[in-house]
Amino acid sequence: MKFRNFKMVDYVVYGRGSFDQVDEIIAPRRKDGQPMVFLVDHFFENKNELISRIPLRGNDKIVFADVTNEPKTTYVDALAKELKDTYGTVSGIIGIGGGSTMDLAKAVSLMMNNPGSSADYQGWDLVKVPGVYKVGIPTLSGTGAEVSRTTVLTGPVRKLGMNSDFTPFDQIVLDPALTQGAPKNQAFYTGMDCYIHCIESLEGTFLNEFSKSYGEKALELCREVYLGREVWDDDCDDKLMMASYAGGMSIAYSQVGVAHAVSYGLSFLLGTKHGVGNCIVFDHLEEFYPEGVKEFKEMVVKHQIDIPKNVTKGLTDEQFDKMIDVSLGMAPLWENALGKNWQEQMTRERLRALYEKF
Ligand code: NAD
Ligand code: ZN
């Protein structure tokens, strides 16, 4: 097909306090004897303010998602197996947390109905059967995982998403109050994922008016909250949640670029997390995104954020080669950033020199 035909999220509710509407929203999707499973970021394990508001009915269950590491196919498979062994099937999976928890929720939903391992479905359009009903409720803003048609997983051989028309959520609940109180550095790294999505999409060769409209709006919101305000207030959380949504919509019809391609290498080798990894890389990408990097540095200074340094110091040639392999494997990202002849521009030597800066 020449033009992409996007499967999007079916239902969206937005608003401060909208979390309290979850009970009503999911009621029609409940099936007799089959629980709703709330997959909740382990950060909230002892946070009764949130846990007490989860609308448990019948044999519903809360499962805390261990997101110490970003999602792995083995973890997805284990979660799905446990639910299948215990209940046969479930009415739905409701992911409450950051991008990692939302990705886990999407992947577990798919693996409730698809045979084999989630690793078999890392790639494009390999998933053939819809998952169980799935709901995404972000508690950090920035990744756009709430709207995307992928779920990024680290498997035995690759870090790659289960990209498919069955991957997007059936429902998302955007309640900015849930992001309140996240640690400053973490919230910034995740927020910058959105900012970087905007720059990479808007400066990419795949750009069209659809992506541009969303990307420009998301960028405007990021600028306002990170540079236009003296204090961070509720309005900033409200805006950043919509920036994340719009940023995700922007890359849905374009692609990310250099920062993502390079940070995937760091993440694969060193386990560097997505948000902070993007920040480590983007900080050194003046040659690709001069204006964006300048503005990013202003935001870092204004918000007094620590960007880790010397993360590739002392790595062996073999380790650099591994990162370079992983990164150059992300062809669509490079093509979006540099154009069709990207391979002539981004040689292994140039990429190695870039990795040595981090
Ligand atoms: P995260 O989900 O990895 O969470 C980071 C940390 O913040 C964790 O320790 C978590 O427990 C904690 N946390 C979450 N919500 C919190 C809150 N409200 N208060 C305090 N702490 C909280 O971070 P992220 O940046 O949101 O997500 C990164 C993940 O998203 C990566 O796994 C990445 O691959 C994925 N991602 C997916 C897509 C997609 O389209 N599917 C896009 C971008 C990123
Ligand atoms: Zn990203």
PDB file of all heavy atoms in Angstrom, residues 16 41 43-44 47 49-50 138-141 175-188 190 232-238 240-241:
ATOM      1  N   ARG A  16      -8.231  15.684  34.134  1.00  0.00           N
ATOM      2  CA  ARG A  16      -7.774  15.537  35.508  1.00  0.00           C
ATOM      3  C   ARG A  16      -8.858  14.833  36.320  1.00  0.00           C
ATOM      4  O   ARG A  16      -9.978  15.322  36.396  1.00  0.00           O
ATOM      5  CB  ARG A  16      -7.566  16.958  36.043  1.00  0.00           C
ATOM      6  CG  ARG A  16      -6.588  17.125  37.104  1.00  0.00           C
ATOM      7  CD  ARG A  16      -6.124  18.563  37.149  1.00  0.00           C
ATOM      8  NE  ARG A  16      -4.825  18.625  36.536  1.00  0.00           N
ATOM      9  CZ  ARG A  16      -3.705  18.287  37.186  1.00  0.00           C
ATOM     10  NH1 ARG A  16      -3.738  17.910  38.436  1.00  0.00           N
ATOM     11  NH2 ARG A  16      -2.558  18.327  36.561  1.00  0.00           N
ATOM     12  N   ASP A  41       2.522  -0.325  37.459  1.00  0.00           N
ATOM     13  CA  ASP A  41       3.947  -0.017  37.674  1.00  0.00           C
ATOM     14  C   ASP A  41       4.304  -0.239  39.146  1.00  0.00           C
ATOM     15  O   ASP A  41       3.594   0.261  40.038  1.00  0.00           O
ATOM     16  CB  ASP A  41       4.144   1.467  37.294  1.00  0.00           C
ATOM     17  CG  ASP A  41       5.604   1.869  37.209  1.00  0.00           C
ATOM     18  OD1 ASP A  41       6.347   1.594  38.163  1.00  0.00           O
ATOM     19  OD2 ASP A  41       5.978   2.461  36.191  1.00  0.00           O
ATOM     20  N   PHE A  43       6.212   1.057  41.043  1.00  0.00           N
ATOM     21  CA  PHE A  43       6.390   2.280  41.835  1.00  0.00           C
ATOM     22  C   PHE A  43       5.185   2.504  42.766  1.00  0.00           C
ATOM     23  O   PHE A  43       5.320   3.042  43.853  1.00  0.00           O
ATOM     24  CB  PHE A  43       6.554   3.496  40.906  1.00  0.00           C
ATOM     25  CG  PHE A  43       6.471   4.804  41.617  1.00  0.00           C
ATOM     26  CD1 PHE A  43       7.565   5.300  42.327  1.00  0.00           C
ATOM     27  CD2 PHE A  43       5.282   5.540  41.618  1.00  0.00           C
ATOM     28  CE1 PHE A  43       7.479   6.504  43.007  1.00  0.00           C
ATOM     29  CE2 PHE A  43       5.184   6.750  42.302  1.00  0.00           C
ATOM     30  CZ  PHE A  43       6.286   7.234  42.995  1.00  0.00           C
ATOM     31  N   PHE A  44       4.010   2.059  42.322  1.00  0.00           N
ATOM     32  CA  PHE A  44       2.782   2.346  43.080  1.00  0.00           C
ATOM     33  C   PHE A  44       2.442   1.268  44.117  1.00  0.00           C
ATOM     34  O   PHE A  44       1.388   1.314  44.732  1.00  0.00           O
ATOM     35  CB  PHE A  44       1.598   2.524  42.112  1.00  0.00           C
ATOM     36  CG  PHE A  44       1.744   3.740  41.245  1.00  0.00           C
ATOM     37  CD1 PHE A  44       2.155   3.620  39.914  1.00  0.00           C
ATOM     38  CD2 PHE A  44       1.507   5.009  41.748  1.00  0.00           C
ATOM     39  CE1 PHE A  44       2.320   4.744  39.116  1.00  0.00           C
ATOM     40  CE2 PHE A  44       1.667   6.135  40.958  1.00  0.00           C
ATOM     41  CZ  PHE A  44       2.071   6.004  39.643  1.00  0.00           C
ATOM     42  N   LYS A  47       1.590   2.675  47.308  1.00  0.00           N
ATOM     43  CA  LYS A  47       1.002   4.018  47.219  1.00  0.00           C
ATOM     44  C   LYS A  47      -0.520   3.882  47.211  1.00  0.00           C
ATOM     45  O   LYS A  47      -1.157   3.755  46.162  1.00  0.00           O
ATOM     46  CB  LYS A  47       1.452   4.727  45.930  1.00  0.00           C
ATOM     47  CG  LYS A  47       2.962   4.745  45.725  1.00  0.00           C
ATOM     48  CD  LYS A  47       3.629   5.781  46.615  1.00  0.00           C
ATOM     49  CE  LYS A  47       5.100   5.966  46.309  1.00  0.00           C
ATOM     50  NZ  LYS A  47       5.936   4.781  46.455  1.00  0.00           N
ATOM     51  N   GLU A  49      -2.905   5.865  47.720  1.00  0.00           N
ATOM     52  CA  GLU A  49      -3.753   6.884  47.066  1.00  0.00           C
ATOM     53  C   GLU A  49      -4.224   6.384  45.708  1.00  0.00           C
ATOM     54  O   GLU A  49      -5.364   6.593  45.324  1.00  0.00           O
ATOM     55  CB  GLU A  49      -2.994   8.196  46.816  1.00  0.00           C
ATOM     56  CG  GLU A  49      -2.178   8.755  47.954  1.00  0.00           C
ATOM     57  CD  GLU A  49      -0.760   8.208  47.957  1.00  0.00           C
ATOM     58  OE1 GLU A  49       0.121   8.767  47.288  1.00  0.00           O
ATOM     59  OE2 GLU A  49      -0.551   7.185  48.656  1.00  0.00           O
ATOM     60  N   LEU A  50      -3.325   5.723  44.987  1.00  0.00           N
ATOM     61  CA  LEU A  50      -3.725   5.224  43.668  1.00  0.00           C
ATOM     62  C   LEU A  50      -4.366   3.834  43.777  1.00  0.00           C
ATOM     63  O   LEU A  50      -5.439   3.584  43.209  1.00  0.00           O
ATOM     64  CB  LEU A  50      -2.518   5.143  42.711  1.00  0.00           C
ATOM     65  CG  LEU A  50      -2.946   4.640  41.338  1.00  0.00           C
ATOM     66  CD1 LEU A  50      -3.308   5.820  40.438  1.00  0.00           C
ATOM     67  CD2 LEU A  50      -1.884   3.789  40.668  1.00  0.00           C
ATOM     68  N   PRO A 138      -1.348   6.214  31.282  1.00  0.00           N
ATOM     69  CA  PRO A 138       0.021   6.680  31.563  1.00  0.00           C
ATOM     70  C   PRO A 138       0.158   7.406  32.897  1.00  0.00           C
ATOM     71  O   PRO A 138      -0.731   8.161  33.287  1.00  0.00           O
ATOM     72  CB  PRO A 138       0.324   7.643  30.410  1.00  0.00           C
ATOM     73  CG  PRO A 138      -0.980   7.992  29.790  1.00  0.00           C
ATOM     74  CD  PRO A 138      -1.965   6.924  30.136  1.00  0.00           C
ATOM     75  N   THR A 139       1.298   7.162  33.563  1.00  0.00           N
ATOM     76  CA  THR A 139       1.617   7.903  34.794  1.00  0.00           C
ATOM     77  C   THR A 139       2.892   8.732  34.608  1.00  0.00           C
ATOM     78  O   THR A 139       3.389   9.321  35.554  1.00  0.00           O
ATOM     79  CB  THR A 139       1.782   6.954  35.989  1.00  0.00           C
ATOM     80  OG1 THR A 139       2.914   6.107  35.754  1.00  0.00           O
ATOM     81  CG2 THR A 139       0.541   6.100  36.213  1.00  0.00           C
ATOM     82  N   LEU A 140       3.442   8.688  33.409  1.00  0.00           N
ATOM     83  CA  LEU A 140       4.532   9.585  33.011  1.00  0.00           C
ATOM     84  C   LEU A 140       4.154  10.062  31.617  1.00  0.00           C
ATOM     85  O   LEU A 140       3.559   9.299  30.857  1.00  0.00           O
ATOM     86  CB  LEU A 140       5.870   8.835  32.906  1.00  0.00           C
ATOM     87  CG  LEU A 140       6.598   8.409  34.182  1.00  0.00           C
ATOM     88  CD1 LEU A 140       7.796   7.525  33.817  1.00  0.00           C
ATOM     89  CD2 LEU A 140       7.065   9.614  34.977  1.00  0.00           C
ATOM     90  N   SER A 141       4.521  11.289  31.270  1.00  0.00           N
ATOM     91  CA  SER A 141       4.192  11.797  29.936  1.00  0.00           C
ATOM     92  C   SER A 141       5.430  11.899  29.084  1.00  0.00           C
ATOM     93  O   SER A 141       6.449  12.424  29.536  1.00  0.00           O
ATOM     94  CB  SER A 141       3.567  13.188  30.043  1.00  0.00           C
ATOM     95  OG  SER A 141       2.322  13.115  30.687  1.00  0.00           O
ATOM     96  N   ASP A 175      -5.096  10.989  32.347  1.00  0.00           N
ATOM     97  CA  ASP A 175      -5.383  11.764  33.553  1.00  0.00           C
ATOM     98  C   ASP A 175      -4.076  12.379  34.047  1.00  0.00           C
ATOM     99  O   ASP A 175      -3.268  11.705  34.681  1.00  0.00           O
ATOM    100  CB  ASP A 175      -5.987  10.839  34.616  1.00  0.00           C
ATOM    101  CG  ASP A 175      -6.336  11.598  35.891  1.00  0.00           C
ATOM    102  OD1 ASP A 175      -5.899  12.759  36.046  1.00  0.00           O
ATOM    103  OD2 ASP A 175      -7.045  11.019  36.733  1.00  0.00           O
ATOM    104  N   PRO A 176      -3.852  13.669  33.745  1.00  0.00           N
ATOM    105  CA  PRO A 176      -2.551  14.277  34.066  1.00  0.00           C
ATOM    106  C   PRO A 176      -2.221  14.239  35.553  1.00  0.00           C
ATOM    107  O   PRO A 176      -1.042  14.292  35.922  1.00  0.00           O
ATOM    108  CB  PRO A 176      -2.696  15.727  33.586  1.00  0.00           C
ATOM    109  CG  PRO A 176      -3.866  15.743  32.677  1.00  0.00           C
ATOM    110  CD  PRO A 176      -4.766  14.625  33.083  1.00  0.00           C
ATOM    111  N   ALA A 177      -3.235  14.132  36.412  1.00  0.00           N
ATOM    112  CA  ALA A 177      -2.956  14.115  37.853  1.00  0.00           C
ATOM    113  C   ALA A 177      -2.091  12.909  38.221  1.00  0.00           C
ATOM    114  O   ALA A 177      -1.378  12.931  39.220  1.00  0.00           O
ATOM    115  CB  ALA A 177      -4.264  14.093  38.638  1.00  0.00           C
ATOM    116  N   LEU A 178      -2.147  11.856  37.408  1.00  0.00           N
ATOM    117  CA  LEU A 178      -1.384  10.646  37.738  1.00  0.00           C
ATOM    118  C   LEU A 178       0.127  10.838  37.572  1.00  0.00           C
ATOM    119  O   LEU A 178       0.914  10.035  38.052  1.00  0.00           O
ATOM    120  CB  LEU A 178      -1.833   9.465  36.865  1.00  0.00           C
ATOM    121  CG  LEU A 178      -3.298   9.044  36.998  1.00  0.00           C
ATOM    122  CD1 LEU A 178      -3.590   7.872  36.070  1.00  0.00           C
ATOM    123  CD2 LEU A 178      -3.648   8.670  38.439  1.00  0.00           C
ATOM    124  N   THR A 179       0.512  11.899  36.860  1.00  0.00           N
ATOM    125  CA  THR A 179       1.949  12.096  36.631  1.00  0.00           C
ATOM    126  C   THR A 179       2.581  12.978  37.707  1.00  0.00           C
ATOM    127  O   THR A 179       3.794  13.159  37.732  1.00  0.00           O
ATOM    128  CB  THR A 179       2.209  12.766  35.257  1.00  0.00           C
ATOM    129  OG1 THR A 179       1.638  14.082  35.266  1.00  0.00           O
ATOM    130  CG2 THR A 179       1.612  11.971  34.119  1.00  0.00           C
ATOM    131  N   GLN A 180       1.729  13.502  38.574  1.00  0.00           N
ATOM    132  CA  GLN A 180       2.204  14.422  39.605  1.00  0.00           C
ATOM    133  C   GLN A 180       3.190  13.730  40.547  1.00  0.00           C
ATOM    134  O   GLN A 180       2.958  12.589  40.935  1.00  0.00           O
ATOM    135  CB  GLN A 180       1.015  14.880  40.420  1.00  0.00           C
ATOM    136  CG  GLN A 180       1.013  16.320  40.707  1.00  0.00           C
ATOM    137  CD  GLN A 180      -0.416  16.781  40.997  1.00  0.00           C
ATOM    138  OE1 GLN A 180      -1.386  16.103  40.700  1.00  0.00           O
ATOM    139  NE2 GLN A 180      -0.527  17.940  41.595  1.00  0.00           N
ATOM    140  N   GLY A 181       4.248  14.411  40.881  1.00  0.00           N
ATOM    141  CA  GLY A 181       5.141  13.870  41.901  1.00  0.00           C
ATOM    142  C   GLY A 181       6.156  12.870  41.389  1.00  0.00           C
ATOM    143  O   GLY A 181       6.884  12.272  42.179  1.00  0.00           O
ATOM    144  N   ALA A 182       6.226  12.665  40.100  1.00  0.00           N
ATOM    145  CA  ALA A 182       7.283  11.778  39.578  1.00  0.00           C
ATOM    146  C   ALA A 182       8.630  12.454  39.817  1.00  0.00           C
ATOM    147  O   ALA A 182       8.723  13.690  39.759  1.00  0.00           O
ATOM    148  CB  ALA A 182       7.054  11.525  38.101  1.00  0.00           C
ATOM    149  N   PRO A 183       9.686  11.677  40.093  1.00  0.00           N
ATOM    150  CA  PRO A 183      10.990  12.288  40.353  1.00  0.00           C
ATOM    151  C   PRO A 183      11.416  13.189  39.196  1.00  0.00           C
ATOM    152  O   PRO A 183      11.180  12.876  38.034  1.00  0.00           O
ATOM    153  CB  PRO A 183      11.931  11.077  40.456  1.00  0.00           C
ATOM    154  CG  PRO A 183      11.065   9.886  40.633  1.00  0.00           C
ATOM    155  CD  PRO A 183       9.705  10.218  40.110  1.00  0.00           C
ATOM    156  N   LYS A 184      12.053  14.311  39.558  1.00  0.00           N
ATOM    157  CA  LYS A 184      12.347  15.366  38.586  1.00  0.00           C
ATOM    158  C   LYS A 184      13.158  14.869  37.384  1.00  0.00           C
ATOM    159  O   LYS A 184      12.786  15.119  36.240  1.00  0.00           O
ATOM    160  CB  LYS A 184      13.107  16.486  39.306  1.00  0.00           C
ATOM    161  CG  LYS A 184      13.317  17.719  38.472  1.00  0.00           C
ATOM    162  CD  LYS A 184      14.021  18.815  39.251  1.00  0.00           C
ATOM    163  CE  LYS A 184      15.509  18.544  39.289  1.00  0.00           C
ATOM    164  NZ  LYS A 184      16.321  19.717  39.657  1.00  0.00           N
ATOM    165  N   ASN A 185      14.244  14.151  37.650  1.00  0.00           N
ATOM    166  CA  ASN A 185      15.071  13.690  36.521  1.00  0.00           C
ATOM    167  C   ASN A 185      14.291  12.747  35.620  1.00  0.00           C
ATOM    168  O   ASN A 185      14.284  12.886  34.401  1.00  0.00           O
ATOM    169  CB  ASN A 185      16.347  13.003  37.013  1.00  0.00           C
ATOM    170  CG  ASN A 185      17.453  14.003  37.338  1.00  0.00           C
ATOM    171  OD1 ASN A 185      17.478  15.113  36.810  1.00  0.00           O
ATOM    172  ND2 ASN A 185      18.357  13.616  38.215  1.00  0.00           N
ATOM    173  N   GLN A 186      13.599  11.764  36.232  1.00  0.00           N
ATOM    174  CA  GLN A 186      12.854  10.777  35.441  1.00  0.00           C
ATOM    175  C   GLN A 186      11.782  11.457  34.589  1.00  0.00           C
ATOM    176  O   GLN A 186      11.631  11.166  33.395  1.00  0.00           O
ATOM    177  CB  GLN A 186      12.208   9.734  36.365  1.00  0.00           C
ATOM    178  CG  GLN A 186      11.383   8.688  35.616  1.00  0.00           C
ATOM    179  CD  GLN A 186      12.226   7.897  34.641  1.00  0.00           C
ATOM    180  OE1 GLN A 186      13.179   7.250  35.032  1.00  0.00           O
ATOM    181  NE2 GLN A 186      11.884   7.953  33.359  1.00  0.00           N
ATOM    182  N   ALA A 187      11.020  12.354  35.217  1.00  0.00           N
ATOM    183  CA  ALA A 187       9.949  13.035  34.479  1.00  0.00           C
ATOM    184  C   ALA A 187      10.544  13.829  33.316  1.00  0.00           C
ATOM    185  O   ALA A 187       9.968  13.873  32.225  1.00  0.00           O
ATOM    186  CB  ALA A 187       9.174  13.955  35.413  1.00  0.00           C
ATOM    187  N   PHE A 188      11.703  14.427  33.536  1.00  0.00           N
ATOM    188  CA  PHE A 188      12.348  15.212  32.478  1.00  0.00           C
ATOM    189  C   PHE A 188      12.806  14.297  31.338  1.00  0.00           C
ATOM    190  O   PHE A 188      12.558  14.584  30.164  1.00  0.00           O
ATOM    191  CB  PHE A 188      13.543  15.983  33.048  1.00  0.00           C
ATOM    192  CG  PHE A 188      14.204  16.893  32.048  1.00  0.00           C
ATOM    193  CD1 PHE A 188      13.748  18.190  31.849  1.00  0.00           C
ATOM    194  CD2 PHE A 188      15.291  16.449  31.288  1.00  0.00           C
ATOM    195  CE1 PHE A 188      14.363  19.034  30.923  1.00  0.00           C
ATOM    196  CE2 PHE A 188      15.903  17.291  30.360  1.00  0.00           C
ATOM    197  CZ  PHE A 188      15.445  18.580  30.176  1.00  0.00           C
ATOM    198  N   THR A 190      11.691  11.427  30.417  1.00  0.00           N
ATOM    199  CA  THR A 190      10.534  10.937  29.657  1.00  0.00           C
ATOM    200  C   THR A 190       9.907  12.074  28.849  1.00  0.00           C
ATOM    201  O   THR A 190       9.537  11.884  27.688  1.00  0.00           O
ATOM    202  CB  THR A 190       9.506  10.277  30.603  1.00  0.00           C
ATOM    203  OG1 THR A 190      10.164   9.226  31.327  1.00  0.00           O
ATOM    204  CG2 THR A 190       8.340   9.677  29.833  1.00  0.00           C
ATOM    205  N   TRP A 232       6.683  24.893  37.788  1.00  0.00           N
ATOM    206  CA  TRP A 232       5.942  23.760  37.201  1.00  0.00           C
ATOM    207  C   TRP A 232       4.648  23.600  37.978  1.00  0.00           C
ATOM    208  O   TRP A 232       4.659  23.383  39.184  1.00  0.00           O
ATOM    209  CB  TRP A 232       6.796  22.488  37.313  1.00  0.00           C
ATOM    210  CG  TRP A 232       6.213  21.375  36.515  1.00  0.00           C
ATOM    211  CD1 TRP A 232       5.197  20.533  36.903  1.00  0.00           C
ATOM    212  CD2 TRP A 232       6.575  20.997  35.188  1.00  0.00           C
ATOM    213  NE1 TRP A 232       4.902  19.650  35.885  1.00  0.00           N
ATOM    214  CE2 TRP A 232       5.738  19.907  34.817  1.00  0.00           C
ATOM    215  CE3 TRP A 232       7.512  21.455  34.264  1.00  0.00           C
ATOM    216  CZ2 TRP A 232       5.826  19.278  33.575  1.00  0.00           C
ATOM    217  CZ3 TRP A 232       7.587  20.824  33.025  1.00  0.00           C
ATOM    218  CH2 TRP A 232       6.764  19.756  32.696  1.00  0.00           C
ATOM    219  N   ASP A 233       3.521  23.725  37.278  1.00  0.00           N
ATOM    220  CA  ASP A 233       2.246  23.568  37.990  1.00  0.00           C
ATOM    221  C   ASP A 233       1.371  22.532  37.271  1.00  0.00           C
ATOM    222  O   ASP A 233       1.805  21.906  36.311  1.00  0.00           O
ATOM    223  CB  ASP A 233       1.535  24.925  38.103  1.00  0.00           C
ATOM    224  CG  ASP A 233       1.311  25.577  36.743  1.00  0.00           C
ATOM    225  OD1 ASP A 233       1.461  24.877  35.716  1.00  0.00           O
ATOM    226  OD2 ASP A 233       0.983  26.778  36.696  1.00  0.00           O
ATOM    227  N   ASP A 234       0.132  22.383  37.756  1.00  0.00           N
ATOM    228  CA  ASP A 234      -0.780  21.385  37.179  1.00  0.00           C
ATOM    229  C   ASP A 234      -0.969  21.578  35.675  1.00  0.00           C
ATOM    230  O   ASP A 234      -1.075  20.625  34.915  1.00  0.00           O
ATOM    231  CB  ASP A 234      -2.165  21.480  37.837  1.00  0.00           C
ATOM    232  CG  ASP A 234      -2.160  20.917  39.249  1.00  0.00           C
ATOM    233  OD1 ASP A 234      -1.091  20.425  39.676  1.00  0.00           O
ATOM    234  OD2 ASP A 234      -3.211  20.979  39.910  1.00  0.00           O
ATOM    235  N   ASP A 235      -1.020  22.837  35.284  1.00  0.00           N
ATOM    236  CA  ASP A 235      -1.222  23.145  33.876  1.00  0.00           C
ATOM    237  C   ASP A 235      -0.088  22.556  33.017  1.00  0.00           C
ATOM    238  O   ASP A 235      -0.316  22.120  31.882  1.00  0.00           O
ATOM    239  CB  ASP A 235      -1.284  24.675  33.733  1.00  0.00           C
ATOM    240  CG  ASP A 235      -1.708  25.088  32.352  1.00  0.00           C
ATOM    241  OD1 ASP A 235      -2.729  24.554  31.867  1.00  0.00           O
ATOM    242  OD2 ASP A 235      -1.011  25.933  31.752  1.00  0.00           O
ATOM    243  N   CYS A 236       1.125  22.528  33.579  1.00  0.00           N
ATOM    244  CA  CYS A 236       2.258  21.945  32.848  1.00  0.00           C
ATOM    245  C   CYS A 236       2.031  20.434  32.664  1.00  0.00           C
ATOM    246  O   CYS A 236       2.271  19.890  31.575  1.00  0.00           O
ATOM    247  CB  CYS A 236       3.565  22.192  33.595  1.00  0.00           C
ATOM    248  SG  CYS A 236       4.006  23.933  33.677  1.00  0.00           S
ATOM    249  N   ASP A 237       1.577  19.765  33.718  1.00  0.00           N
ATOM    250  CA  ASP A 237       1.288  18.330  33.591  1.00  0.00           C
ATOM    251  C   ASP A 237       0.194  18.086  32.539  1.00  0.00           C
ATOM    252  O   ASP A 237       0.279  17.147  31.744  1.00  0.00           O
ATOM    253  CB  ASP A 237       0.820  17.746  34.942  1.00  0.00           C
ATOM    254  CG  ASP A 237       1.952  17.658  35.950  1.00  0.00           C
ATOM    255  OD1 ASP A 237       3.108  17.450  35.542  1.00  0.00           O
ATOM    256  OD2 ASP A 237       1.681  17.805  37.159  1.00  0.00           O
ATOM    257  N   ASP A 238      -0.828  18.946  32.563  1.00  0.00           N
ATOM    258  CA  ASP A 238      -1.932  18.812  31.583  1.00  0.00           C
ATOM    259  C   ASP A 238      -1.390  18.940  30.158  1.00  0.00           C
ATOM    260  O   ASP A 238      -1.738  18.162  29.267  1.00  0.00           O
ATOM    261  CB  ASP A 238      -2.985  19.931  31.774  1.00  0.00           C
ATOM    262  CG  ASP A 238      -3.733  19.819  33.097  1.00  0.00           C
ATOM    263  OD1 ASP A 238      -3.457  18.878  33.866  1.00  0.00           O
ATOM    264  OD2 ASP A 238      -4.593  20.691  33.356  1.00  0.00           O
ATOM    265  N   LEU A 240       1.789  18.668  29.099  1.00  0.00           N
ATOM    266  CA  LEU A 240       2.780  17.667  28.693  1.00  0.00           C
ATOM    267  C   LEU A 240       2.107  16.346  28.313  1.00  0.00           C
ATOM    268  O   LEU A 240       2.563  15.645  27.413  1.00  0.00           O
ATOM    269  CB  LEU A 240       3.817  17.443  29.812  1.00  0.00           C
ATOM    270  CG  LEU A 240       5.046  16.642  29.394  1.00  0.00           C
ATOM    271  CD1 LEU A 240       5.801  17.301  28.242  1.00  0.00           C
ATOM    272  CD2 LEU A 240       6.001  16.438  30.575  1.00  0.00           C
ATOM    273  N   MET A 241       0.983  16.044  28.964  1.00  0.00           N
ATOM    274  CA  MET A 241       0.283  14.808  28.602  1.00  0.00           C
ATOM    275  C   MET A 241      -0.267  14.896  27.177  1.00  0.00           C
ATOM    276  O   MET A 241      -0.223  13.926  26.421  1.00  0.00           O
ATOM    277  CB  MET A 241      -0.830  14.504  29.605  1.00  0.00           C
ATOM    278  CG  MET A 241      -1.413  13.130  29.407  1.00  0.00           C
ATOM    279  SD  MET A 241      -2.254  12.481  30.853  1.00  0.00           S
ATOM    280  CE  MET A 241      -0.921  11.615  31.673  1.00  0.00           C
TER     281      MET A 241
END
